[in-house]
Every structure is written in C-alpha cells, then in structure tokens.
Amino acid sequence: SVASRGLGDVYKRQALGDLARLSADQQSLLLLVSVEGLGYQEAADVLDIPIGTVMSRLSRARKALRDLSEGHAPAKPALRLMK
C-alpha cells in the first residue's frame, strides 16, 4: 500500500541519518561489510588494518547504530591510558 511504502521511506531516511552520525571509520566498515558484502579479512585488506581492528570497530559501529535507532545518543568512547 501507499501508506506502508511511505513508512518504509521514513525508516530508510532515519537509518541513513543514523549512519551519517557515526564516525567515518564506522561508516566505511559498515558499508564494506553490510552493503558491499565483503568479509572481515577483505575489509581489513581494503582498509589496510588488522582483522581484529575490523572486528572491534564493526562491533562498536553496530552498537552505536542500534543505540541511535532506539533513540539513544551515541556513547562517547572512553579514553584509555596507554603505558
């Protein structure tokens, strides 16, 4: 129906808006893996980063996107002290 198509468009716009609020690193990983269909190793090769970094960034990106879709502000990353 026209109404359900309109509602679908609203959800798509909201999802794109939420995606735009993520960091560039998070956006690129989500697009490579979720939209382009690359595997974790392929994404790591494209971005020239370790696969473990892909996995942790992707996990944080998905959580941030989930939080945004539920109406929560994205959590600020905690600073870690490095020795």
Side-chain angles (χ1 to χ4, degrees), residues 2-18:
V2 173
S4 64
R5 257 187 312 197
L7 188 56
D9 290 343
V10 169
Y11 288 133
K12 288 176 190 174
R13 280 194 299 275
Q14 180 65 41
L16 288 174
D18 291 345

Side-chain angles (χ1 to χ4, degrees):
S1 75
V2 173
S4 64
R5 257 187 312 197
L7 188 56
D9 290 343
V10 169
Y11 288 133
K12 288 176 190 174
R13 280 194 299 275
Q14 180 65 41
L16 288 174
D18 291 345
L19 183 66
R21 293 179 62 189
L22 299 179
S23 72
D25 287 342
Q26 291 175 329
Q27 288 179 31
S28 61
L29 271 173
L30 280 172
L31 291 173
L32 286 173
V33 173
S34 300
V35 176
E36 296 295 328
L38 269 61
Y40 289 6
Q41 186 60 58
E42 293 170 308
D45 293 343
V46 167
L47 298 172
D48 195 30
I49 58 176
I51 191 169
T53 302
V54 166
M55 294 167 63
S56 62
R57 285 183 186 173
L58 196 53
S59 175
R60 286 192 298 270
R62 287 176 173 152
K63 181 183 180 330
L65 198 57
R66 193 170 37 254
D67 288 347
L68 287 168
S69 71
E70 293 172 356
H72 305 293
K76 301 251 190 250
L79 294 178
R80 296 185 317 187
L81 295 176
M82 305 297 287
K83 292 185 179 186

